[in-house]
């Protein structure tokens, strides 16, 4: 999962996952070996996988957190944006994350038997090239004479990883960690599925991919619109750059071509409108739930096929915590 949107969009994730739980008879943390998320998706992964909370409780917690953080959106939020270039209190958001995650480090999330590996994605912006950073609950196997392309680590606190992954520009201040300045992972990986596939292949290089599930936060029906052929304004250009950077369906189309149909499943319902990240409205929430339920009914055969793939017993010796002993040893030496 991944994809940053409004505070209400976790209802889409939870509805899709609730259907998969009903079809398989298993909880979310029992269905996957590795879970990766960006921004909103990262926080949901922490609640669902790390803390193993039920889906209904996760949605309730998320809505309460959103009200606490985004409660004063209008005049106060715009005033803060003018003076500080971010709309909401970063201190409040950090306190919320610290209270939610307590003092656990990323490596702590993989210390339980049969615990899925977990990863959050942020974007590092204070180097010559903007690049992703992967907060991992695991260590990658060492490969001689080969430098890891995607930087990351497991020593950060969980709340720090979430703070970095959710640092949406103009909403929250960027965060500095160990010489890197992080902003929202959606800047580079709004759909982190391909990165998750790569992480899985790095951890289990000799194993087959059995089932890849990607859950989006909803998309508008695509329409081709012809517009006047003239140079765009600077404002339009910036909007196009942001839209292109955070676009999610290109990754989906690429994975559709690369992975087998009975391995890769993408669930991303059509929605009628996109609401702001800080929108909190019970009517919008109800409409999202209704639209997602309609999507689930129309794609029942796809959900059935996915649930069967999730229940297949892997023939590989895939272990969910392959490097915990090494991580524990390293952490003990620090």
């Amino acid at each position: 999962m991944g994809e940053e949107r409004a505070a209400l969009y976790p209802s889409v994730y939870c509805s899709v996952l609730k259907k998969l739980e009903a079809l398989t008879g298993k909880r979310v943390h029992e269905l996957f070996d590795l879970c990766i998320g960006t921004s909103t998706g990262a926080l949901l992964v922490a609640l669902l996988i790390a803390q193993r909370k039920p889906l209904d409780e996760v949605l309730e917690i998320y809505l309460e957190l959103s009200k606490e953080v985004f409660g004063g959106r209008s005049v106060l939020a715009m005033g803060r944006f003018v003076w500080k270039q971010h709309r909401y209190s970063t201190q409040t958001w950090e306190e919320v994350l610290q209270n939610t995650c307590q003092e656990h480090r990323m490596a702590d999330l993989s210390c339980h038997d049969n615990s899925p590996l977990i990863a959050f994605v942020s974007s590092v912006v204070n180097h010559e090239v903007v690049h992703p950073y992967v907060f991992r609950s695991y260590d990658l196997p060492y490969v001689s004479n080969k430098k890891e392309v995607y930087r990351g680590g497991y020593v950060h606190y969980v709340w720090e990883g979430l703070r970095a992954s959710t640092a949406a520009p103009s909403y929250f201040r960027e965060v500095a960690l160990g010489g890197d300045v992080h902003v929202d992972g959606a800047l580079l990986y709004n759909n982190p599925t391909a990165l998750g596939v790569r992480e899985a292949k790095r951890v289990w290089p000799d194993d087959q991919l059995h089932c890849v599930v990607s859950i989006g936060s909803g998309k508008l029906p695509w329409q081709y619109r012809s517009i006047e052929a003239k140079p765009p304004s600077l404002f339009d250009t910036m909007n196009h750059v942001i839209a292109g950077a955070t676009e999610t369906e290109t990754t989906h189309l690429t994975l559709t071509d690369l992975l087998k149909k009975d391995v890769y499943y993408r669930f991303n319902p059509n929605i009628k409108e996109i609401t702001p990240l800080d929108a909190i409205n019970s009517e919008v929430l109800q409409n999202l739930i209704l639209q997602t339920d309609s999507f689930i009914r129309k794609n029942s055969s796809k959900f059935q096929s996915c649930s069967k793939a999730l229940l297949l017993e892997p023939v590989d010796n895939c272990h969910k915590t392959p490097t915990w002993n090494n991580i524990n040893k390293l952490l003990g030496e620090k």
Side-chain angles (χ1 to χ4, degrees):
M1 62 181 72
E3 302 178 31
E4 166 193 33
R5 283 282 175 78
L8 303 177
Y9 281 91
S11 63
V12 176
Y13 300 125
C14 290
S15 294
V16 170
L17 290 171
K18 189 179 294 186
K19 182 63 175 179
L20 292 176
E21 283 192 343
L23 290 172
T24 59
K26 292 189 175 185
R27 297 276 303 281
V28 174
H29 67 268
E30 299 174 305
L31 292 173
F32 301 99
D33 296 305
L34 187 149
C35 296
I36 188 169
T38 296
S39 196
T40 296
L43 182 54
L44 292 179
V45 166
L47 294 172
L48 282 169
I49 307 300
Q51 299 189 11
R52 301 188 177 184
K53 295 185 180 296
L55 284 162
D56 288 336
E57 184 180 345
V58 165
L59 183 56
E60 185 177 333
I61 290 173
Y62 195 94
L63 292 175
E64 286 302 316
L65 295 183
S66 298
K67 290 176 183 178
E68 184 175 347
V69 175
F70 298 135
R73 34 179 318 213
S74 54
V75 177
L76 179 61
M78 290 311 299
R80 183 181 286 111
F81 178 73
V82 170
W83 291 105
K84 297 186 177 181
Q85 284 74 58
H86 53 88
R87 300 181 191 180
Y88 297 100
S89 170
T90 299
Q91 181 179 350
T92 298
W93 183 228
E94 288 185 356
E95 290 173 355
V96 165
L97 291 176
Q98 289 173 2
N99 292 334
T100 302
C101 304
Q102 299 180 355
E103 290 300 305
H104 296 297
R105 293 184 183 271
M106 290 299 299
D108 297 334
L109 304 184
S110 290
C111 65
H112 304 292
D113 290 339
N114 296 320
S115 177
L117 306 185
I118 294 173
F120 312 142
V121 187
S122 72
S123 303
V124 175
V125 295
N126 63 321
H127 297 286
E128 186 175 355
V129 176
V130 178
H131 62 268
Y133 190 95
V134 185
F135 294 86
R136 303 179 175 100
S137 68
Y138 51 93
D139 193 11
L140 293 176
Y142 172 74
V143 179
S144 60
N145 300 322
K146 185 177 181 180
K147 184 179 180 180
E148 176 54 39
V149 176
Y150 295 104
R151 295 177 58 228
Y154 47 77
V155 298
H156 294 94
Y157 289 106
V158 176
W159 74 265
E160 291 178 323
L162 292 175
R163 169 73 177 86
S165 186
T166 60
S170 83
Y171 286 89
F172 298 110
R173 189 179 65 240
E174 67 279 356
V175 56
L177 295 172
D180 293 322
V181 176
H182 300 257
V183 299
D184 194 339
L187 184 65
L188 293 174
Y189 279 97
N190 204 18
N191 180 349
T193 311
L195 180 55
V197 168
R198 186 185 184 279
E199 290 285 298
K201 295 302 293 182
R202 285 285 284 112
V203 175
W204 303 291
D206 300 323
D207 293 347
Q208 297 281 334
L209 287 173
H210 298 284
C211 187
V212 177
V213 178
S214 174
I215 304 176
S217 54
K219 66 181 188 297
L220 293 173
W222 187 86
Q223 291 181 333
Y224 179 80
R225 293 186 303 163
S226 179
I227 58 176
E228 183 181 354
K230 64 177 183 179
S233 66
L234 178 61
F235 180 78
D236 288 337
T237 299
M238 291 303 299
N239 280 337
H240 292 157
V241 169
I242 294 171
T246 58
E247 195 272 339
T248 63
E249 291 304 288
T250 301
T251 298
H252 162 57
L253 294 174
T254 301
L255 290 175
T256 299
D257 290 338
L258 294 177
L259 300 178
K260 295 179 180 180
K261 185 178 180 181
D262 59 350
V263 170
Y264 173 63
Y265 297 89
R266 169 77 167 167
F267 300 107
N268 195 25
N270 287 329
I271 55 178
K272 294 181 180 179
E273 62 178 345
I274 300 296
T275 57
L277 176 65
D278 52 355
I280 305 172
N281 184 292
S282 58
E283 183 179 348
V284 175
L285 173 62
Q286 195 58 40
N287 287 335
L288 276 174
I289 293 174
L290 291 175
Q291 291 172 67
T292 306
D293 288 344
S294 175
F295 168 81
I296 291 172
R297 288 194 300 272
K298 292 177 181 178
N299 292 272
S300 59
S301 60
K302 185 176 180 179
F303 276 88
Q304 291 281 354
S305 178
C306 179
S307 64
K308 291 178 181 178
L310 287 170
L311 290 174
L312 286 175
E313 289 293 333
V315 296
D316 315 299
N317 294 320
C318 178
H319 194 284
K320 292 183 179 176
T321 53
T323 53
W324 170 247
N325 289 333
N326 291 338
I327 292 176
N328 199 31
K329 180 181 177 181
L330 287 170
L331 287 177
E333 293 173 350
K334 291 187 178 295

